[in-house]
């Protein structure tokens, strides 16, 4: 079997790239030939197969007028992305084209070209883009919104793309160009990393027989570090841990307020556009510590030592890597009751659930949390199996070759 992995970025930019790179390694370890297709970018990883020579040129939505015009053409499937992808298909002749994040910088035209060439097309859904033109089902004022899920497009009405009329207009046109029926026709299988995502796709009218729920597996580098430290597990500390992006939809403001109200110690690992605002909010709280971005070697010991990890999201999470990594470490999770989070937590067994955005509810859980009530070895054992690479690959290969 020959698989072509497609993602708009080919460097570690976020969760989708972590998943894709982990999958690339897993496929190769299974003896499957793999190549990649992405947008040209100075941060891209160079591959021995010379795939970079097939990548379409970089588009920049923030550059000059000419840059923006070129980027706009790409959104609608025009420009060198078509010729470059056709050259890749002719050179490689893959059996499966596995799409990840492709909108805007690449374009769904890739799936259409592969389908017309008789190649099986599989698409992993990392976000709600196929249902929400603004990706996250959240309005600029912070409210969660699922108006577009049923099929009526309201992105322009609410100016969901960063509050901008122009950006929202482009997102509206993109959603109509690449309609759900068109995407479904050109895709053989959609992989939903959570039952929540699968249900949202069903609500959005995508064919149920093309939907497959398959959770992410743990980043190999994290798993390697967990295994290395398995016989040197530190004593449980007196702090709670947040590890992730520092942006408004992640609910870290709610977490900081809850930590201040409950008086618990909180360590925050990560970076993002809300970092300065969050540090200002916690300025007079010596029990709250910002650690910045951490390598797996530095993060894993904290995940092992924390009383619990906290995921206070105020947006529709899919299958959060930080949550499943904490469970694999044996650390219970306090998670918001939103998106795919609650399906991963059994209250009283591997964590607790609270109402998203509710400071008092979260503060109450943090204040009364008793780590001794949780069997950390059992949490780790169950999660290590559930989110193992081997289990993931068994199911994925059935989707590749039904």
């Amino acid at each position: 079997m020959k698989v072509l992995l497609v993602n708009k970025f080919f460097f570690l930019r976020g969760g989708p790239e972590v998943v894709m790179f982990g999958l690339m390694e897993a496929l190769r370890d299974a003896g499957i030939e793999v190549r990649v297709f992405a947008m040209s970018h100075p941060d891209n990883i160079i591959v021995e197969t010379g795939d970079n020579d097939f990548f379409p040129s970089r588009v920049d939505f923030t550059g000059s007028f000419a840059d923006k015009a070129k980027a706009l053409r790409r959104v609608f499937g025009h420009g060198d992305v078509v010729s470059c992808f056709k050259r890749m298909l002719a050179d490689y002749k893959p059996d499966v084209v596995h799409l990840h994040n492709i909108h805007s910088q690449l374009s769904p035209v890739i799936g259409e070209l592969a389908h017309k060439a008789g190649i099986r097309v599989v698409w992993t859904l990392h976000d709600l883009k196929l249902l929400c033109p603004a990706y996250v089902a959240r309005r600029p004022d912070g409210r969660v919104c699922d108006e577009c899920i049923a099929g009526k497009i309201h992105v322009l009405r609410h100016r969901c793309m960063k509050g901008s009329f122009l950006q929202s207009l482009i997102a509206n046109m993109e959603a109509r160009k690449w309609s759900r029926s068109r995407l479904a026709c050109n895709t053989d299988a959609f992989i939903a990393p959570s039952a929540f995502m699968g249900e949202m796709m069903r609500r959005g009218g995508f064919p149920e027989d093309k939907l497959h729920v398959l959770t992410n597996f743990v980043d190999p580098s994290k798993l390697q570090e967990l295994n290395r430290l398995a016989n040197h597990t530190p004593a449980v500390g007196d702090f709670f841990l947040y590890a992730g992006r520092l942006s408004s939809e992640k609910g870290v403001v709610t977490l900081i307020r809850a930590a201040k109200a409950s008086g618990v110690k909180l360590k925050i690992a990560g970076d993002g556009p809300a970092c300065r605002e969050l540090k200002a909010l916690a300025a007079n709280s010596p029990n709250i510590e910002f650690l910045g971005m951490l390598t797996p070697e530095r993060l894993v010991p904290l995940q092992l030592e924390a009383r619990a990890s906290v995921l206070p999201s105020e947006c529709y999470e899919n299958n959060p890597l930080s949550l499943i990594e904490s469970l694999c470490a044996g650390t219970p999770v306090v998670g918001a009751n939103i998106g795919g989070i609650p399906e991963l937590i059994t209250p009283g067994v591997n964590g607790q659930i609270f109402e998203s955005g509710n400071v008092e509810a979260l503060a109450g859980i943090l204040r009364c949390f008793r780590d001794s009530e949780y069997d950390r070895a059992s949490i780790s054992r169950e999660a290590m199996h559930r989110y193992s690479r081997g289990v993931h690959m068994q199911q994925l290969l059935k989707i590749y070759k039904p």
Side-chain angles (χ1 to χ4, degrees), residues 46-260:
I46 305 298
V47 289
E48 295 178 0
T49 52
D51 292 344
N52 307 72
D53 296 336
F54 294 91
F55 291 0
S57 58
R58 182 184 181 184
V59 293
D60 185 359
F61 290 87
T62 62
S64 65
F65 178 81
D67 291 333
K68 291 176 181 177
K70 178 182 176 182
L72 188 60
R73 283 175 51 79
R74 180 71 59 82
V75 167
F76 299 105
H78 302 299
D80 62 346
V81 66
V82 173
S83 58
C84 289
F85 192 68
K86 285 182 175 180
R87 285 198 303 115
M88 170 61 85
L89 293 184
D91 182 77
Y92 185 39
K93 298 179 177 62
D95 301 297
V96 176
V97 168
H98 189 155
L99 309 177
H100 289 268
N101 274 3
I102 62 170
H103 275 82
S104 300
Q105 282 86 351
L106 286 180
S107 166
V109 72
I110 286 173
E112 194 163 78
L113 292 170
H115 176 75
K116 288 179 178 178
I119 300 166
R120 185 167 177 80
V121 178
V122 176
W123 196 337
T124 292
L125 309 167
H126 295 282
D127 51 44
L128 291 163
K129 178 62 174 176
L130 274 62
L131 302 169
C132 168
Y135 291 89
V136 295
R138 196 168 186 263
R139 296 183 194 172
D141 62 7
R143 285 183 292 171
V144 172
C145 171
D146 59 1
E147 286 188 10
C148 291
I149 304 302
K152 294 183 179 180
I153 301 174
H154 297 284
V155 62
L156 188 57
R157 172 186 169 191
H158 300 301
R159 300 192 180 186
C160 297
M161 291 297 290
K162 302 179 181 179
S164 165
F165 175 83
L166 180 58
Q167 291 188 47
S168 299
L169 176 63
I170 293 171
N172 180 291
M173 295 168 61
E174 180 185 30
R176 296 181 187 281
K177 164 80 172 182
W178 305 111
S179 67
R180 297 177 190 186
S181 59
R182 186 173 182 177
L183 297 178
C185 178
N186 294 318
T187 307
D188 297 287
F190 294 98
I191 295 177
S194 64
F196 164 78
M197 179 65 78
E199 178 57 28
M200 294 291 270
M201 291 287 285
R202 276 187 284 272
R203 284 178 55 193
F206 283 88
E208 189 160 354
D209 62 343
K210 292 188 176 186
L211 298 174
H212 305 263
V213 176
L214 178 58
T215 64
N216 295 320
F217 59 87
V218 181
D219 175 15
S221 64
K222 298 280 181 66
L223 192 60
Q224 183 179 7
E225 192 65 13
L226 281 171
N227 290 331
R228 188 181 73 81
L229 296 173
N231 297 322
H232 307 282
T233 304
V236 176
D238 63 347
F239 65 92
F240 292 87
L241 175 68
Y242 171 82
R245 180 172 168 79
L246 303 184
S247 53
S248 59
E249 75 276 5
K250 295 300 183 180
V252 187
V253 167
T254 296
L255 174 56
I256 289 175
R257 289 173 175 164
K260 291 168 70 173

Side-chain angles (χ1 to χ4, degrees), residues 1 120 122 189 191 212 214 391-402:
M1 185 184 296
R120 185 167 177 80
V122 176
I191 295 177
H212 305 263
L214 178 58
V391 169
H392 182 97
M393 289 300 295
Q394 286 178 357
Q395 297 179 57
L396 179 64
L397 292 179
K398 292 177 182 178
I399 296 171
Y400 277 178
K401 198 173 183 179

